[in-house]
Amino acid sequence: MPVVRNYTVADYSGGRQNWSLAQSADGLIYVGNNTTLLEYDGNVWKNYPLPDKDLVRSVYVSDDQKVYCGAYEEFGYFEITPGAAKYCSLSDVFEQSEIQNEEIWNIVSCGDNIIFQSFTSLFVYDGKGVTMIRDVHPLNLFNVAGKLYAQKIEGDFVTLEIAPDGVVKMEPVRLSVAFQESIVAALPYEDDL
């Protein structure tokens, strides 16, 4: 078998653009696609469309195997079992005017929270409800070794602490001269780097 295999739209019956990838603990691949959420088990592709929404921008699979999805003015999760897929919207608790033009580009977990990131806001789901946090303006959001970091749009690289009441504390991270551009990725290295 080739090391790299290309799949066409005809193979997976979705849109032409794929936006994000996530892998579940049992090895399934999930793809945020222009028209649907795609699932691939190494042999068969399945499609799970969002209700009333086409484009799936972001995907995250939690430890309990829920498949979280972010889209334009929509975010929530699928519970996928053999033969069935049930979608639960988390954004439907907000008025349309509150989430107008919000595009969920990234999903990360930190502690017991699932955090949906747009370029203006964070939506924090604690398993019971969703808290909207405005005016953070993250370009990128990362969980590195259990700590949240964000590269702000035209701003600093910061650590984020989110209190249960939704209050956010941001502290700039001191960077070397080598890091004068926006941070686009962050990973743990050794014990505490």
Side-chain angles (χ1 to χ4, degrees):
M1 295 199 52
V3 176
V4 175
R5 181 167 176 203
N6 294 321
Y7 294 97
T8 67
V9 173
D11 293 323
Y12 56 77
S13 300
R16 293 193 178 280
Q17 282 186 298
N18 297 304
W19 294 96
S20 62
L21 295 168
Q23 186 171 16
S24 67
D26 57 358
L28 297 174
I29 301 293
Y30 291 94
V31 181
N33 179 269
N34 258 19
T35 61
T36 188
L37 171 69
L38 299 170
E39 177 190 77
Y40 185 58
D41 66 3
N43 190 34
V44 176
W45 290 94
K46 293 181 183 173
N47 293 344
Y48 303 110
L50 293 178
D52 302 325
K53 304 291 179 185
D54 292 335
L55 186 88
V56 179
R57 287 265 193 228
S58 52
V59 179
Y60 174 80
V61 183
S62 62
D63 292 339
D64 63 359
Q65 298 299 299
K66 288 180 181 170
V67 181
Y68 291 87
C69 297
Y72 179 71
E73 298 179 354
E74 174 64 39
F75 57 92
Y77 62 87
F78 280 98
E79 291 182 300
I80 300 172
T81 57
K86 179 184 172 191
Y87 182 74
C88 177
S89 175
L90 296 172
S91 56
D92 63 0
V93 299
F94 298 102
E95 295 292 328
Q96 177 61 33
S97 61
E98 293 179 289
I99 61 170
Q100 186 173 9
N101 295 324
E102 295 285 5
E103 184 100 49
I104 306 301
W105 289 95
N106 188 20
I107 306 169
V108 300
S109 69
C110 191
D112 294 330
N113 295 326
I114 303 293
I115 303 160
F116 299 87
Q117 176 219 325
S118 74
F119 288 140
T120 59
S121 306
L122 300 176
F123 299 89
V124 182
Y125 176 59
D126 65 3
K128 299 177 193 121
V130 181
T131 303
M132 180 189 319
I133 301 170
R134 291 277 192 203
D135 300 325
V136 177
H137 302 286
L139 176 63
N140 296 301
L141 182 67
F142 317 101
N143 176 343
V144 180
K147 194 171 186 179
L148 283 178
Y149 294 86
Q151 172 65 57
K152 296 184 71 180
I153 295 173
E154 297 181 15
D156 292 329
F157 186 62
V158 299
T159 60
L160 285 174
E161 289 182 36
I162 303 172
D165 61 0
V167 174
V168 175
K169 180 180 173 185
M170 287 187 274
E171 299 271 334
V173 176
R174 292 181 55 183
L175 299 174
S176 72
V177 176
F179 289 103
Q180 297 303 312
E181 299 295 322
S182 294
I183 307 293
V184 297
L187 300 168
Y189 179 72
E190 295 181 349
D191 293 332
D192 61 350
L193 300 176

